[in-house]
């Protein structure tokens, strides 16, 4: 089985840390992990699967050889980084708002519309956490009863 080089951009943020925990406990075929973050975190070290990794800056050259990157560094960073990384052959899963309303890039919730992954052009957007949880539950109901409207309020702590 082929193994992949994964990058986590925003590795030292709250979401990045959770992504690392999930990847550590996954069975994904990870050959190598590249951790990227902003300037103040560059050089910091993280232990992942009993191996020490040094955080590097998310420059264009940092994506050379990376197969898949999960970005959680904000929409401004994503808009700057993603196209260049895609040009280098990297597939981006973007956790910001940068591509959520883009007709060019699919908005994916695997449990709802994984088939849309086939249309990606290097960038895959995902909705925010509240939307994901809600649609995973509502999707099977919608398939049967055709939901016409949902009113939602969320109150999220940092």
């Amino acid at each position: 089985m082929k193994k992949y080089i994964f990058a986590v951009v925003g590795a030292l943020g709250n979401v990045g840390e959770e992504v690392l925990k999930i990847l550590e406990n996954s069975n994904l075929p990870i050959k190598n992990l590249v951790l990227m973050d902003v300037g103040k975190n560059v050089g910091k070290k993280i232990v992942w699967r009993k191996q020490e990794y040094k955080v590097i800056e998310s420059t264009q050259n940092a994506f050379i050889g990376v197969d898949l990157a999960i970005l959680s560094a904000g929409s401004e960073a994503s808009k700057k980084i993603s196209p260049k990384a895609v040009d280098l052959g990297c597939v981006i899963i973007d956790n910001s708002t940068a591509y959520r309303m883009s007709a060019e890039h699919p908005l994916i919730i695997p449990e709802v519309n994984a088939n849309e992954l086939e249309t990606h052009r290097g960038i895959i957007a995902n909705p925010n956490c509240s939307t994901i949880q809600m649609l995973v539950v509502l999707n099977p109901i919608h398939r049967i009863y055709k939901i016409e409207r949902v009113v939602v309020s969320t109150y999220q702590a940092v």
Side-chain angles (χ1 to χ4, degrees), residues 53-106:
Y53 291 85
K54 193 175 190 179
V55 176
I56 64 172
E57 191 167 2
S58 54
T59 63
Q60 179 177 350
N61 289 339
F63 290 90
I64 294 172
V66 174
D67 298 302
L68 178 77
I70 300 173
L71 273 67
S72 189
S75 62
E76 188 175 313
S78 186
K79 286 178 183 177
K80 180 180 176 184
I81 293 168
S82 297
K84 294 174 183 176
V86 169
D87 287 345
L88 292 168
C90 181
V91 174
I92 299 293
I93 298 174
D94 183 53
N95 193 40
S96 76
T97 60
Y99 301 101
R100 286 184 181 159
M101 299 303 289
S102 168
E104 184 178 350
H105 305 293

Side-chain angles (χ1 to χ4, degrees), residues 13 24 26 43 84 119 136 144 146:
E24 187 158 24
S26 76
K84 294 174 183 176
T119 68
V136 167
I144 296 170
K146 303 298 177 209

